[in-house]
Amino acid sequence: MRRQPVSSSNLQSVGYDPQNRILEIEFHGNGVYQYEDVSQNIYAELMAAPSKGRYFAERIRDRYPWRRVE
């Protein structure tokens, strides 16, 4: 999955697969994780958030099944 760099102290890059509803996040120094069943709206809100790390912590981290991929 292609990820794009983001401006965040926590997140390095973010990608999204709309067909499979998978959000992929690369963290600074902590690897790459995929979050399942994430709507395109949540992805769009994350990308538009002034603080992507805060949005991730509040709206994604503990709400979606995840797995480490790298």
Side-chain angles (χ1 to χ4, degrees):
M1 178 182 311
R2 293 190 106 180
R3 294 185 305 271
Q4 61 184 73
V6 293
S7 178
S8 170
S9 60
N10 234 1
L11 285 55
Q12 185 168 333
S13 61
V14 176
Y16 185 69
D17 176 349
Q19 186 173 19
N20 295 307
R21 295 172 52 102
I22 294 175
L23 176 68
E24 188 171 275
I25 298 179
E26 178 182 14
F27 294 91
H28 289 290
N30 286 334
V32 178
Y33 293 78
Q34 289 184 344
Y35 295 82
E36 300 174 6
D37 201 30
V38 177
S39 73
Q40 194 155 2
N41 186 52
I42 292 291
Y43 166 68
E45 288 179 1
L46 170 65
M47 296 306 283
S51 172
K52 290 167 181 49
R54 178 176 291 154
Y55 185 90
F56 168 78
E58 293 176 356
R59 301 288 310 274
I60 297 169
R61 180 175 54 205
D62 296 327
R63 297 182 181 209
Y64 296 94
W66 58 270
R67 68 185 180 101
R68 186 174 179 153
V69 293
E70 291 180 30

